[in-house]
Amino acid sequence: MPGDAFEHVRHTAGVTLPVRDYQTEFYGHLRSHEGVVWKLERAQHFHEPDVPSWTAMVNGDWDRAVALIRESRFAADLPPRAELRRLRVVETPLTPYMQWEIVLLAARTRAGERVRVLPAEYVRHLERGGPLPEMLILRGDLMYEVLYDEIGAHTGGRRITDPAVIEPCARIIADLYGRAEDVIAYHDREVAPLPPPEVSRIPS
């Protein structure tokens, strides 16, 4: 069954890395990688206090949050030879975080990243054991489950190298990506008309 592919991610053996080690290792691979890198994002809130735009949004300064996104140079973050394809699953109504992140991802797409948005109902049949894991797949024998704590703060990553676990996930993500909508179109239709997010709805 398709949903079993993601259940296998939760239960397969892997090497858990703290944030600094994970980032060093992953970005080292990314700089030399050629071809597609798949990224799956499912959670509807992350805690990102190191991102000034996120902090402005949480503090209720939406104009500042958007201005900081517009000032960012996202093209400098892109890998030199890899193509990053990000599939962003969205619940509605949008959480404040998701409203902010869609603005961010639209800007990243204009800079060259390839981001698409998929409504959550398209993945519910895959979530019998819980929400889909946050994942980055570089090769058929290398992926990372990206780890977060209960408030959505990044805690590191888990390296998985079993092709029998990775390849089915990559196939499913590619199929879902093919059904998803370009984030810029989604932003312009669903997010641009919204008022600023309600700070009272942001998890502390």
Side-chain angles (χ1 to χ4, degrees):
M1 297 291 291
D4 293 340
F6 297 102
E7 283 303 299
H8 291 159
V9 172
R10 301 181 214 279
H11 302 297
T12 194
V15 177
T16 299
L17 305 168
V19 172
R20 183 171 296 178
D21 292 347
Y22 159 73
Q23 290 177 336
T24 299
E25 182 173 303
F26 170 72
Y27 287 109
H29 284 300
L30 191 62
R31 282 191 294 272
S32 61
H33 184 78
E34 295 185 14
V36 173
V37 175
W38 292 107
K39 182 167 188 177
L40 173 65
E41 288 185 322
R42 176 63 178 94
Q44 302 300 291
H45 176 79
F46 292 125
H47 183 74
E48 302 193 26
D50 294 334
V51 180
S53 177
W54 181 90
T55 301
M57 183 269 292
V58 169
N59 289 334
D61 193 344
W62 182 242
D63 290 341
R64 177 64 174 159
V66 173
L68 287 168
I69 290 172
R70 290 174 177 164
E71 293 167 7
S72 298
R73 297 182 178 180
F74 295 113
D77 295 338
L78 295 174
R81 291 178 292 277
E83 179 182 301
L84 182 57
R85 297 184 186 178
R86 185 193 309 239
L87 179 65
R88 209 339 157 174
V89 177
V90 294
E91 301 266 5
T92 52
L94 296 176
T95 63
Y97 178 88
M98 284 306 309
Q99 183 175 342
W100 170 80
E101 191 187 51
I102 293 297
V103 176
L104 175 72
L105 295 179
R108 294 189 68 90
T109 297
R110 292 185 183 97
E113 192 172 321
R114 297 181 180 272
V115 185
R116 293 186 185 180
V117 172
L118 189 71
E121 53 263 31
Y122 284 81
V123 303
R124 296 210 194 280
H125 67 290
L126 302 170
E127 298 187 315
R128 294 190 299 274
L132 298 182
E134 314 295 316
M135 298 166 56
L136 276 156
I137 301 177
L138 287 100
R139 304 190 305 262
D141 63 352
L142 179 61
M143 66 166 277
Y144 295 90
E145 180 186 5
V146 190
L147 304 176
Y148 298 88
D149 65 15
E150 64 278 358
I151 67 167
H154 183 38
T155 61
R158 201 163 65 90
R159 184 201 314 126
I160 297 170
T161 57
D162 185 350
V165 173
I166 299 168
E167 291 173 0
C169 292
R171 288 194 296 269
I172 295 169
I173 294 171
D175 177 69
L176 294 171
Y177 186 87
R179 303 187 217 174
E181 179 180 12
D182 179 84
V183 71
I184 294 175
Y186 183 87
H187 166 270
D188 292 350
R189 185 185 70 252
E190 301 291 343
V191 176
L194 293 176
E198 299 179 26
V199 175
S200 61
R201 292 179 54 223
I202 299 173
S204 58

